[in-house]
Amino acid sequence: MWTSKKELQTALKLAVQAKAEAYPAFVELGPSAPPKAENAPHGPHWEGNAVLRSCCGRWETKFYFSAPLEQTIRVPFELFKNAVGTLDNRECELVVQGGMLTLWQGKDYLQIGELAFGEGVKNDLPQFNLPPDGEVQSWLNTRETAAVADILKQILHFTNEEGPGSEVYLENRTGAYAGLEQLLMFCSDGYIAAAGRVRVERLGGLGLFLVPVGAVKKLARALKRLPPAGLMLTLSGPYLRFTAGRFEVTARLLEKQFLSPDIVQPRGIEAALELDRGELMSFAKKASWAEVDIRFKYQDGHLHASGGGKTFSWDGRLSSGQEQPPQQLQFEFRVNAQRLLRALKGVEAAQVWLYYQPGGKLVYFKAGNIDMVLVAEKPKQEEQKNA
């Protein structure tokens, strides 16, 4: 199989290196039929003759090559990665023969021996073959795919690899707009929640599902690195597969209780302030260094923020549902500085809307096409005594 160092490095950046499984991390190289695209009405589709496959217990990735490879071999992930790193910019040829993978460049070559699995481990390797019955496919065109990539790039900041926040919620909100459907994407780590929506022409029979965050991060990386090619979603049995040109990631869906994405929608709002994200982020950074909460107080038409004994204030445009003038409206709340900083770093809009909910335990923000909510902090005991 003829390829290049750049192409192999791209494949490895989109691969998954298993770290906590009963088997060592590996990559599998071999011949392949190209991904199916019978129901893809828009955009080009990659025709692959060889594939680099990797997996962990919850998802697998596949990267397709145009050149053919006649035999299949599994080799250690780290060893293959290091071997690719030693290549120069010349074209290279991969040859599988006699249980060895050989990487040729001119007269120079590197050899890696096949990774031997015991029968027990070999039989336990996860498989992500989609059941042929009940398969549902939907296709997003390049414009819709770019919008999905933009949302994912922002909300994935609010996730964790393990524990709370290790999943991404996807839902088809049918009928949200006349003649269109809506793909909703939502993440939460238990303290911050963020959601974004993309209008799409059709998602077919797709409903709602939870996907491991690692699989979605690989998809987001592929959408950033690879040429635009649209995005196919295939749902079958317990699996969801994303196909973006020459890249595929298939994940086993999660079954667990999860927050409703509607939690990010403000309710009972009394005031809305438009703030500069840069200024707000700068203050949150200072407060996070001091490891203190930020206390926001709106009074006399101004929003003041204080933390760690330092005060910073700025003016914001106020829209109130009250009949009284904005100057007569007074409120205050507090948020964790590090969480606020994390939320502001994740989004890209220059302006941020802050929504005040009287007596609420949640603080709502909107930045461009991203809706966020943070858990408000309780006042310290000494502040309650002085109030």
Side-chain angles (χ1 to χ4, degrees), residues 101-346:
L101 172 64
T102 305
L103 290 76
W104 285 94
Q105 278 196 315
K107 295 181 180 180
D108 304 325
Y109 67 91
L110 293 166
Q111 285 191 314
I112 305 174
E114 185 167 15
L115 183 60
F117 290 112
E119 284 301 319
V121 174
K122 189 174 182 180
N123 294 333
D124 290 338
L125 289 178
Q127 300 295 324
F128 295 86
N129 300 318
L130 272 58
D133 298 330
E135 186 177 279
V136 177
Q137 285 189 332
S138 298
W139 179 263
L140 275 62
N141 61 36
T142 53
R143 177 190 58 79
E144 295 165 344
T145 302
V148 168
D150 178 62
I151 295 291
L152 291 178
K153 179 173 62 174
Q154 297 180 78
I155 70 171
L156 286 174
H157 283 273
F158 311 114
T159 60
N160 301 308
E161 293 299 328
E162 298 293 338
S166 60
E167 56 280 306
V168 179
Y169 178 102
L170 302 175
E171 181 182 349
N172 174 16
R173 291 273 172 111
T174 306
Y177 296 92
L180 291 173
E181 300 175 27
Q182 194 180 58
L183 177 61
L184 182 146
M185 293 156 278
F186 174 73
C187 298
S188 173
D189 65 0
Y191 296 97
I192 307 173
R197 296 164 177 78
V198 173
R199 299 182 189 183
V200 296
E201 291 183 5
R202 62 185 187 91
L203 280 173
L206 295 182
L208 58 91
F209 26 82
L210 284 178
V211 186
V213 68
V216 182
K217 284 185 174 181
K218 292 297 181 184
L219 171 66
R221 181 174 289 187
L223 295 178
K224 178 181 179 180
R225 287 180 168 271
L226 301 178
L231 178 65
M232 185 194 303
L233 287 75
T234 306
L235 180 66
S236 184
Y239 302 107
L240 178 64
R241 173 173 293 164
F242 300 96
T243 304
R246 65 191 306 179
F247 175 75
E248 275 187 359
V249 56
T250 304
R252 183 176 290 109
L253 298 176
L254 302 173
E255 295 183 5
K256 58 187 293 188
Q257 290 185 334
F258 199 67
L259 280 174
S260 167
D262 294 327
I263 194 173
V264 301
Q265 296 301 314
R267 294 178 178 82
I269 296 304
E270 190 172 274
L273 293 167
E274 187 180 26
L275 309 174
D276 182 270
R277 183 174 70 96
E279 290 182 347
L280 187 57
M281 189 161 59
S282 176
F283 184 80
K285 186 180 295 184
K286 296 174 183 177
S288 67
W289 291 339
E291 298 183 348
V292 297
D293 295 337
I294 303 177
R295 182 183 180 186
F296 290 95
K297 184 174 183 178
Y298 183 81
Q299 189 174 24
D300 299 328
H302 297 275
L303 182 69
H304 303 271
S306 61
K310 299 178 181 179
T311 302
F312 180 75
S313 65
W314 64 95
D315 293 331
R317 295 189 311 187
L318 175 67
S319 59
S320 173
Q322 303 291 322
E323 295 180 359
Q324 59 188 1
Q327 288 77 7
Q328 296 181 16
L329 181 64
Q330 297 186 24
F331 61 84
E332 65 177 83
F333 60 91
R334 60 190 307 136
V335 295
N336 179 279
Q338 292 182 341
R339 292 179 191 134
L340 177 61
L341 180 61
R342 184 183 181 189
L344 295 172
K345 280 185 173 180

Side-chain angles (χ1 to χ4, degrees), residues 49-65:
N49 293 304
V51 65
L52 183 149
R53 172 183 176 265
S54 64
C55 72
C56 63
R58 291 180 290 179
W59 67 88
E60 73 166 5
T61 65
K62 290 183 177 181
F63 186 91
Y64 292 92
F65 298 85

